Amino acid sequence: MKIDVISIFPEYLAPLELSLLGKAQDKGLLEINVHDLRVHTSDNHHSVDDTPYGGGAGMVMKAQIWGDALDDLITDGCDLIILTPGGRRFNQRMAEELSTKSHLLFACGRYEGIDDRVRQHYSTTAYSDRGIRVHEISIGDYVLGGGEVASMVIIEAVTRLIPGVLGNPESIVEESHMSEGFVEYPSFTKPATWRDLEVPEILLSGNHAAIAKWRSEAAHKRAQDNL
Ligand code: ADE
């Protein structure tokens, strides 16, 4: 999978080189490139934003600069993901769907967001005929300073589902959110006693049926407690 991220703070995305994602890139399973939006500015101040039409607080990112940046990177069949708190709420289903794609292009907005004509432009039939899909995605019902951290959340959730990225593929067979409302049972490891707290005895019993039943009930209780 190829991933491009466009931001005015490319350094913010440095963690994409670390851990699992770094290893996946070394293995050639993944190619991630981060691009500086300001490369496309032409004025002395390298300004990327302007005041909103209609008035109101904050600044809006200019369509022309985003258009120039996206034109350079967009490819046939790619998915353009615009990060915004007003977008569709991200979940594991969306991560699964995106993990099957070959090219994801992330546009990290800042301030009051990106001029909406950018979304409109890349949603026209001229692009959909080329297999290009535009998604506006939010990672939750709160407002971040920009889309950078949100794009990293999505990239991490999506790329760990790509075959070969995780060391042990079994670990995604049964995990939280694999189905709606499903959360994983609590886990324990050695020692059996820690600060006077014992591991549930059933887990030491070797009785696989009883363990499965205990885990299912514990997962249920956890899901209930989260409501
Ligand atoms: N930008 C600011 N807040 C955001 C959010 N919750 N999700 C995605 N992008 C954002």
Side-chain angles (χ1 to χ4, degrees), residues 185-188 199-203 207-221:
Y185 50 78
S187 305
F188 306 87
V199 169
E201 218 177 305
I202 197 91
L203 299 179
N207 181 342
H208 296 297
I211 291 171
K213 182 166 175 284
W214 181 89
R215 284 181 167 167
S216 159
E217 285 165 5
H220 242 87
K221 180 175 183 311

Side-chain angles (χ1 to χ4, degrees), residues 83-85 137-140 142-144 146-147 150:
L83 287 323
T84 161
I137 301 183
S138 161
I139 61 160
Y142 40 79
V143 180
L144 302 167

Side-chain angles (χ1 to χ4, degrees), residues 20 27 29 92 159-175 178 184:
L20 216 57
K27 284 195 241 173
L29 294 169
Q92 190 69 15
T159 54
R160 65 189 287 284
L161 299 176
I162 297 172
V165 168
L166 280 192
N168 178 6
E170 291 291 305
S171 52
I172 51 174
V173 172
E174 191 176 296
E175 63 179 355
M178 53 183 261
E184 232 174 337

Side-chain angles (χ1 to χ4, degrees), residues 105-124:
L105 176 50
F106 289 87
C108 303
R110 284 248 148 198
Y111 318 114
E112 295 304 305
I114 301 171
D115 187 316
D116 191 56
R117 288 171 294 182
V118 174
R119 176 191 63 78
Q120 292 175 32
H121 174 77
Y122 293 100
S123 302
T124 56

Side-chain angles (χ1 to χ4, degrees):
M1 177 187 282
K2 188 176 187 315
I3 296 178
D4 288 293
V5 187
I6 310 171
S7 162
I8 55 166
F9 297 122
E11 306 82 16
Y12 226 93
L13 295 130
L16 292 175
E17 296 294 324
L18 304 175
S19 183
L20 216 57
L21 288 177
K23 287 205 188 89
Q25 289 175 85
D26 293 342
K27 284 195 241 173
L29 294 169
L30 204 59
E31 180 192 336
I32 305 180
N33 290 301
V34 181
H35 309 269
D36 187 355
L37 180 71
R38 286 197 206 274
V39 167
H40 298 277
T41 55
S42 45
D43 61 316
N44 285 341
H45 293 102
H46 300 289
S47 61
V48 293
D49 57 347
D50 209 332
T51 52
Y53 275 119
M59 301 289 270
V60 178
M61 296 185 104
K62 289 149 131 355
Q64 192 194 324
I65 293 167
W66 273 105
D68 290 350
L70 291 168
D71 285 349
D72 272 3
L73 295 168
I74 208 153
T75 58
D76 291 358
C78 93
D79 286 63
L80 168 59
I81 297 165
I82 301 172
L83 287 323
T84 161
R88 184 165 157 226
R89 177 118 54 90
F90 186 62
N91 62 24
Q92 190 69 15
R93 299 293 82 66
M94 291 154 82
E96 283 161 8
E97 200 202 321
L98 292 174
S99 73
T100 65
K101 309 287 182 152
S102 54
H103 184 198
L104 305 181
L105 176 50
F106 289 87
C108 303
R110 284 248 148 198
Y111 318 114
E112 295 304 305
I114 301 171
D115 187 316
D116 191 56
R117 288 171 294 182
V118 174
R119 176 191 63 78
Q120 292 175 32
H121 174 77
Y122 293 100
S123 302
T124 56
T125 52
Y127 292 92
S128 59
D129 286 350
R130 293 170 54 192
I132 294 165
R133 287 186 60 197
V134 180
H135 317 259
E136 282 191 304
I137 301 183
S138 161
I139 61 160
D141 297 345
Y142 40 79
V143 180
L144 302 167
E148 285 76 10
V149 171
S151 74
M152 286 194 280
V153 166
I154 295 172
I155 290 168
E156 187 161 315
V158 166
T159 54
R160 65 189 287 284
L161 299 176
I162 297 172
V165 168
L166 280 192
N168 178 6
E170 291 291 305
S171 52
I172 51 174
V173 172
E174 191 176 296
E175 63 179 355
S176 297
H177 306 299
M178 53 183 261
S179 59
E180 196 70 42
F182 177 92
V183 296
E184 232 174 337
Y185 50 78
S187 305
F188 306 87
T189 188
K190 292 171 235 15
T193 307
W194 176 76
R195 298 193 181 174
D196 291 338
L197 294 166
E198 310 284 346
V199 169
E201 218 177 305
I202 197 91
L203 299 179
L204 312 175
S205 70
N207 181 342
H208 296 297
I211 291 171
K213 182 166 175 284
W214 181 89
R215 284 181 167 167
S216 159
E217 285 165 5
H220 242 87
K221 180 175 183 311
R222 206 181 207 184
Q224 219 47 39
D225 291 348
N226 286 342
L227 294 177

